[in-house]
Protein backbone atom coordinates (compact mmCIF):
# COMPACT_ATOMS: atom_id res chain seq x y z
CA UNK A 1 0.00 0.00 0.00
CA UNK A 2 1.55 3.36 -1.00
CA UNK A 3 2.19 5.89 1.72
CA UNK A 4 0.62 9.30 1.30
CA UNK A 5 2.31 12.49 2.36
CA UNK A 6 2.89 16.18 1.77
CA UNK A 7 5.69 18.33 0.44
CA UNK A 8 6.42 21.97 1.28
CA UNK A 9 9.14 24.16 -0.19
CA UNK A 10 10.20 27.66 0.80
CA UNK A 11 13.16 29.94 0.10
CA UNK A 12 14.69 31.89 2.97
CA UNK A 13 17.12 34.77 2.73
CA UNK A 14 20.60 33.60 3.65
CA UNK A 15 20.78 35.64 6.83
CA UNK A 16 21.23 34.39 10.42
CA UNK A 17 18.03 36.18 11.53
CA UNK A 18 16.04 33.85 9.25
CA UNK A 19 16.93 30.81 11.37
CA UNK A 20 14.04 31.58 13.72
CA UNK A 21 11.61 31.71 10.77
CA UNK A 22 12.94 28.35 9.55
CA UNK A 23 12.39 26.74 12.97
CA UNK A 24 8.85 28.14 13.26
CA UNK A 25 7.97 27.13 9.66
CA UNK A 26 9.11 23.56 10.28
CA UNK A 27 7.42 23.31 13.70
CA UNK A 28 4.07 24.26 12.13
CA UNK A 29 4.35 21.45 9.60
CA UNK A 30 6.10 18.56 11.33
CA UNK A 31 5.03 17.08 14.65
CA UNK A 32 8.43 15.83 15.70
CA UNK A 33 10.22 17.26 18.74
CA UNK A 34 13.60 17.33 16.99
CA UNK A 35 12.41 18.77 13.66
CA UNK A 36 13.01 22.48 14.44
CA UNK A 37 16.54 21.82 15.74
CA UNK A 38 17.48 19.64 12.79
CA UNK A 39 16.08 22.23 10.36
CA UNK A 40 18.06 24.93 12.14
CA UNK A 41 21.32 23.00 11.75
CA UNK A 42 20.59 22.25 8.08
CA UNK A 43 19.87 25.94 7.44
CA UNK A 44 22.97 27.18 9.29
CA UNK A 45 25.22 24.72 7.44
CA UNK A 46 24.02 25.93 4.04
CA UNK A 47 24.00 29.56 5.20
CA UNK A 48 27.72 29.32 5.90
CA UNK A 49 28.45 28.62 2.19
CA UNK A 50 27.65 32.20 1.18
CA UNK A 51 24.66 31.23 -0.97
CA UNK A 52 22.23 34.19 -1.28
CA UNK A 53 19.18 32.03 -0.46
CA UNK A 54 18.56 28.72 1.28
CA UNK A 55 15.75 26.57 -0.07
CA UNK A 56 14.13 24.38 2.57
CA UNK A 57 12.05 21.39 1.52
CA UNK A 58 9.93 19.22 3.83
CA UNK A 59 8.39 15.94 2.68
CA UNK A 60 6.34 13.47 4.68
CA UNK A 61 5.45 9.87 3.88
CA UNK A 62 3.83 7.66 6.46
CA UNK A 63 5.84 7.88 9.67
CA UNK A 64 8.85 9.53 8.01
CA UNK A 65 9.71 13.17 7.39
CA UNK A 66 12.59 14.33 5.22
CA UNK A 67 14.10 17.81 5.37
CA UNK A 68 16.49 19.28 2.84
CA UNK A 69 18.38 22.57 2.86
CA UNK A 70 19.98 23.63 -0.41
CA UNK A 71 21.90 26.60 -1.68
CA UNK A 72 23.69 27.55 -4.88
CA UNK A 73 27.27 27.10 -3.64
CA UNK A 74 29.08 23.78 -3.22
CA UNK A 75 29.68 22.96 0.42
CA UNK A 76 33.16 22.38 1.84
CA UNK A 77 33.98 19.38 4.04
CA UNK A 78 33.63 21.33 7.31
CA UNK A 79 30.17 22.55 6.29
CA UNK A 80 29.15 19.02 5.33
CA UNK A 81 30.61 17.09 8.26
CA UNK A 82 31.35 19.66 10.98
CA UNK A 83 29.65 20.19 14.36
CA UNK A 84 26.25 21.00 12.81
CA UNK A 85 26.23 17.75 10.89
CA UNK A 86 26.99 15.83 14.08
CA UNK A 87 23.85 17.32 15.64
CA UNK A 88 21.84 16.52 12.50
CA UNK A 89 23.03 12.91 12.36
CA UNK A 90 22.53 12.45 16.10
CA UNK A 91 18.89 13.57 15.97
CA UNK A 92 17.87 11.96 12.68
CA UNK A 93 17.48 8.38 11.48
CA UNK A 94 19.41 9.07 8.27
CA UNK A 95 21.27 12.09 6.91
CA UNK A 96 23.67 13.09 4.20
CA UNK A 97 24.90 15.52 1.59
CA UNK A 98 22.73 16.35 -1.43
CA UNK A 99 23.90 14.69 -4.64
CA UNK A 100 24.99 18.05 -6.10
CA UNK A 101 27.04 18.89 -2.98
CA UNK A 102 25.11 22.12 -2.41
CA UNK A 103 23.05 21.09 0.61
CA UNK A 104 22.23 18.59 3.32
CA UNK A 105 19.25 16.37 4.10
CA UNK A 106 17.92 14.52 7.13
CA UNK A 107 15.19 11.95 7.64
CA UNK A 108 13.23 11.79 10.88
CA UNK A 109 10.99 8.97 12.08
CA UNK A 110 8.19 8.98 14.60
CA UNK A 111 9.07 8.08 18.17
CA UNK A 112 7.36 4.69 17.83
CA UNK A 113 9.47 3.75 14.76
CA UNK A 114 12.68 4.47 16.66
CA UNK A 115 11.73 2.28 19.59
CA UNK A 116 10.78 -0.65 17.33
CA UNK A 117 14.34 -0.99 16.01
Amino acid sequence: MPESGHTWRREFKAHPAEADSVRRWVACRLEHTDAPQVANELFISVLSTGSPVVEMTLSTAGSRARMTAAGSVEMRALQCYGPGFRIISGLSALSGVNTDGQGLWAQLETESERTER
Side-chain angles (χ1 to χ4, degrees):
M1 179 160 129
E3 295 177 308
S4 62
H6 299 283
T7 298
W8 300 272
R9 185 171 286 121
R10 182 172 168 192
E11 284 189 354
F12 293 88
K13 293 177 193 171
H15 189 276
E18 289 288 290
D20 182 56
S21 297
V22 169
R23 289 188 303 270
R24 286 185 284 118
W25 181 71
V26 169
C28 289
R29 284 155 183 80
L30 300 180
E31 294 182 14
H32 191 288
T33 56
D34 296 328
Q37 181 64 43
V38 172
N40 182 75
E41 298 301 331
L42 291 169
F43 176 78
I44 296 299
S45 293
V46 175
L47 172 71
S48 68
T49 67
S51 178
V53 295
V54 178
E55 182 179 86
M56 298 294 297
T57 304
L58 307 176
S59 299
T60 62
S63 62
R64 294 179 305 277
R66 185 177 175 118
M67 291 185 274
T68 304
S72 59
V73 177
E74 191 166 342
M75 300 180 75
R76 294 185 310 272
L78 182 60
Q79 295 159 331
C80 292
Y81 302 107
F85 187 74
R86 289 182 183 174
I87 294 169
I88 293 165
S89 61
L91 295 176
S92 59
L94 299 167
S95 57
V97 179
N98 295 359
T99 56
D100 64 4
Q102 296 179 351
L104 299 172
W105 61 271
Q107 181 173 306
L108 302 174
E109 297 175 344
T110 61
E111 303 291 327
S112 61
E113 285 240 347
R114 284 191 279 174
T115 58
E116 289 176 8
R117 286 188 188 181

